[in-house]
Each structure stands twice: as structure tokens, then as C-alpha cells.
Amino acid sequence: MPALPYGEVGECVAKVKASQRVSRSSKLAFEFLVLTAARSAEVRKATWDEMDVEGATWTLPAARMKANREHRVPLSGRALEVLAEAAELSDGTALVFPGVRRGRPLSENTHAKLLRELGFDAVTHGFRSSFRDYAAEQTHTSHAVMEAALAHTIRNKAEAAYARSDLFEKRRELMESWARYLRHETEGQAR
């Protein structure tokens, strides 16, 4: 899947935010997707009952996860700001990022189409790869923490049997680092 080098993600976020081609809800959903390194459907179908703003945690139920197990996502300061902005757009339903029709999530094609129109050779899923490359090349984060941040399962059964922690606090540090990096890169684009 096409992905941007992490050094170009800030520019992409800035261009999406400045775009007049999509709704404010769609722009916020895109930024939230990038900040959380989540899958598109996880973000588009996110509901307010999954969000613990005070605890800065997004808890996705097992039924909505690819691996069919609950996943907690630590929310950076900027991700919390995005949620505060999204709250202003509420259509009275549970959706964090409502689509055009009341009670319906954003279209799965909205962001892919926008990225193409803006000239970016990337798909939404590719931003998970951009995040992973950033973590590997720009931080001292362990492999286990990076994989946990992406909600990847451990394939080695023996290793999986002993890996009981979701490494949440270490992931919180990583997500805050990613958000700071993106903010710095995005602000550089605004100058």
C-alpha cells in the first residue's frame, strides 16, 4: 500500500486541513487517523463511548478490531484537541466523525480520493507505515512497543504466552512524540 515517507506526513496533514474539498469532520478524522496510527474503519466508525477524554484513552472493542481483541490507544494532546473540535460537529449520534448523512460514518473512499486530488501517492492505511518508520528511525522505541501501537499480534505462540502487557505507558510516550513531530512539521508548512 502506498505510504508517504514520515518526513512528508506533516505537509500532507497541513494540505488536508487547508483543503476546501472535504468537510471539517473529514479533515479532523484524517488528522486523528494519522495521530493515532489507526486503521481507517476504526476512525471512521469511532464512537464517543469509546473515548475517555479525561484518561486520554481511546478503547476500541474487540468486535471492531482486526485481531478481534480490545485495543487501547493513548491519545496525545493534539488528538484530544481534535476530539474537542469534533465534539462541536456532533450530529446527535454516537459517531465522533459524522458523515454527510446523519448517523452514517464517513465514506471509506473520502480520504483516498482527497489524497489523490491533493497529489499525494498514499492511501490512509499507509500512514500506519509512515508512523512505524518514524518510530523505528527517529526514536529509541522497542520493536514490541511499536507493534503494540499498531495493534499487531505476536505470531510466535511462545512469545505471545509471556507478553501480557499492552505497554500502554511506553506507547503513550511514543504517540506524544509522533504528535510533537507532526506539529513541528505541520507548523513548518504553514510558514
Side-chain angles (χ1 to χ4, degrees):
M1 295 190 188
L4 291 180
Y6 59 84
E8 296 176 19
V9 174
E11 173 190 4
C12 181
V13 170
K15 285 190 176 180
V16 166
K17 288 167 81 170
S19 174
Q20 300 301 310
R21 299 174 187 214
V22 293
S23 69
R24 185 168 173 221
S25 180
S26 188
K27 293 176 192 184
L28 291 170
F30 177 78
E31 186 176 4
F32 193 77
L33 175 141
V34 172
L35 286 164
T36 60
R39 294 174 180 92
S40 177
E42 294 165 1
V43 171
R44 288 183 301 99
K45 297 176 181 178
T47 58
W48 286 109
D49 64 328
E50 296 170 354
M51 303 298 168
D52 174 4
V53 174
E54 278 189 33
T57 304
W58 174 24
T59 304
L60 289 105
R64 290 205 330 103
M65 292 301 298
K66 183 178 176 181
N68 203 31
R69 68 169 199 249
E70 182 180 276
H71 179 61
R72 296 185 310 154
V73 179
L75 298 173
S76 65
R78 177 59 193 151
L80 292 170
E81 291 171 9
V82 168
L83 288 179
E85 291 179 48
E88 298 171 7
L89 306 176
S90 176
D91 66 355
T93 66
L95 291 170
V96 175
F97 305 105
V100 176
R101 292 190 300 180
R102 187 177 189 282
R104 300 292 303 251
L106 293 166
S107 165
E108 64 184 288
N109 297 318
T110 300
H111 293 129
K113 181 180 178 206
L114 178 62
L115 290 169
R116 275 192 312 274
E117 289 173 354
L118 293 176
F120 291 102
D121 183 24
V123 296
T124 53
H125 198 78
F127 289 94
R128 290 167 53 81
S129 178
S130 304
F131 163 78
R132 178 62 168 77
D133 289 346
Y134 161 81
E137 294 182 15
Q138 297 295 317
T139 74
H140 297 291
T141 303
S142 73
H143 180 281
V145 172
M146 289 185 277
E147 292 302 295
L150 293 169
H152 287 165
T153 56
I154 299 171
R155 295 181 194 262
N156 179 304
K157 290 183 181 186
E159 185 181 346
Y162 290 98
R164 308 271 170 98
S165 170
D166 67 357
L167 305 166
F168 192 74
E169 290 309 316
K170 289 185 182 224
R171 289 190 295 122
R172 183 176 297 287
E173 292 171 20
L174 175 60
M175 301 319 281
E176 200 60 58
S177 170
W178 176 233
R180 277 192 310 272
Y181 175 79
L182 291 173
R183 182 168 291 204
H184 174 75
E185 292 298 310
T186 304
E187 287 171 356
Q189 295 303 314
R191 287 184 206 133

